[in-house]
Amino acid sequence: MSKGSLPLITQIAAACSLLALGWLTVRAFGKNPAWGLAVMLISPVGATFFGLQYWGQEKKAFLSYLITFSITVVLALMLFTSWGGWDLLRATYQVNNGINSRMLTTYDAEYFVKASASFNEKSGLNIQDSYRMKKARNKLATDAEEKIARE
């Protein structure tokens, strides 16, 4: 599977999961409006309780939802990983700690800026943490000025 097809496959899996959830929700409303609301509003927990409670009658709808939902979650995690999402989370955590402790390092600032740019480029999403980005860039600019002053 090429990386270019992973977003499309994930979207198709999500659409199938929503269809299966719709089917299960209609079946749940047929049993009791409370079950329908539970399946619709607090899935996958509500769907799981409903599917297990009425296993004999609803196993096709429940298994359809469970399988498509599981596949969607796995594909979404693969997509997030391929975009460098875990690196961005790690970098955000490190920068946040550095900001809070007032001991932001150049390494952490560079790591955050690179991870953010890489994630935005690979995902096509323009997700910016402007506060942390400003702090990281200020740290890099300050370090660059200090280096120039030393030379």
Side-chain angles (χ1 to χ4, degrees):
M1 174 178 1
S2 71
K3 285 187 179 183
S5 63
L6 188 56
L8 178 61
I9 293 169
T10 304
Q11 291 171 353
I12 292 168
C16 291
S17 181
L18 284 174
L19 288 172
L21 178 61
W23 180 25
L24 189 62
T25 301
V26 168
R27 303 287 297 181
F29 271 112
K31 299 281 186 222
N32 184 323
W35 273 118
L37 288 172
V39 170
M40 184 172 62
L41 298 176
I42 57 172
S43 280
V45 175
T48 300
F49 282 118
F50 174 75
L52 294 175
Q53 178 73 31
Y54 295 101
W55 175 256
Q57 301 151 333
E58 306 301 339
K59 65 181 158 194
K60 286 181 184 177
F62 174 63
L63 286 175
S64 295
Y65 171 66
L66 184 64
I67 290 167
T68 57
F69 179 77
S70 298
I71 290 170
T72 301
V73 168
V74 168
L75 289 171
L77 287 172
M78 288 172 57
L79 191 58
F80 186 71
T81 300
S82 73
W83 288 344
W86 301 114
D87 287 336
L88 180 56
L89 287 177
R90 188 178 313 108
T92 301
Y93 176 77
Q94 289 173 334
V95 164
N96 199 46
N97 282 344
I99 292 169
N100 289 337
S101 68
R102 299 180 189 258
M103 298 186 67
L104 180 61
T105 66
T106 302
Y107 174 80
D108 289 343
E110 287 175 346
Y111 182 49
F112 176 75
V113 170
K114 288 177 186 175
S116 182
S118 176
F119 183 83
N120 289 343
E121 180 185 325
K122 290 178 183 175
S123 69
L125 302 171
N126 189 16
I127 298 173
Q128 287 291 330
D129 184 343
S130 57
Y131 173 74
R132 287 176 186 80
M133 187 62 73
K134 181 180 175 185
K135 291 287 191 177
R137 288 192 172 140
N138 286 345
K139 172 65 175 169
L140 295 174
T142 302
D143 288 353
E145 290 170 4
E146 289 173 2
K147 184 178 178 182
I148 290 170
R150 283 190 302 245
E151 294 173 353

